[in-house]
Amino acid sequence: MTARLVVLVSGAGTNLQALLDATADPGFGAQVVAVGADRDGIVALERARRHTVPTFVCRLADYPDREGWDRGLAELIGGYQPTLVVSAGFAKLFGEHVLHRFAGMLINSHPSLLPSFPGLRAPRDAIDYGVKVTGVTVFMVDAGVDSGPVIAQAAVPVVDGDDEETLHERIKSVERGLVVDTVRRMVQDGFRVEGRKVLIG
Ligand code: GRF
């Protein structure tokens, strides 16, 4: 059976693009059935439309409060009956409705080797700390900030002279492959979560 992916985005959507390209092959075992965003006018939504994938926008400003927004987002995602929800550069924290409804099937990627450098400035924090190796982590989303069980990681060197942008681009070139490969393994081989461990296959 072909797995149904809902991908959540907020920006450039290069991870989304990698998923759209990979899932164009029916042998991948999954298709992107919808792309959701927290804002309009982003390149990621154009990428989805170019692939004729349905899109939805769930703006915080359109709801009376954050809880209403979170409930609305859960409904929108759920309407596409996903088997896996992939947060690919989605720039907001999820609330209890999304977390509860998609528990164990909501994954995210983060541009550091967690638990080092959680939060929004991971590449900058890695440079400021002076580490020589950082990387990317694909993880199961839980109620904390970048704190859920790790699914996959890859290391990326920090090079002398790196700034936030050059390092983040180097990380993203690895991240795209790791996200695609991890989703592929999860949908093809199955997975289960045992405490902090995510076991694929
Ligand atoms: C990725 O590095 C992701 O881990 C981080 O923001 C970036 C999104 O990139 N949260 P893109 O929108 O997929 O190009």
Side-chain angles (χ1 to χ4, degrees), residues 173-186:
S173 67
V174 174
E175 181 176 25
R176 292 189 276 272
L178 189 72
V179 168
V180 166
D181 182 58
T182 305
V183 169
R184 178 194 287 117
R185 290 193 300 124
M186 291 175 83

Side-chain angles (χ1 to χ4, degrees), residues 157-176:
V158 182
V159 175
D160 288 346
D162 261 344
D163 59 23
E164 186 179 2
E165 201 177 323
T166 59
L167 178 58
H168 197 180
E169 278 311 313
R170 190 176 310 112
I171 293 170
K172 284 179 69 170
S173 67
V174 174
E175 181 176 25
R176 292 189 276 272

Side-chain angles (χ1 to χ4, degrees), residues 11-16 88-90 108-111 168 171-172 175-176:
T14 61
N15 283 287
L16 165 68
F90 190 70
N108 191 10
S109 77
H110 179 77
H168 197 180
I171 293 170
K172 284 179 69 170
E175 181 176 25
R176 292 189 276 272

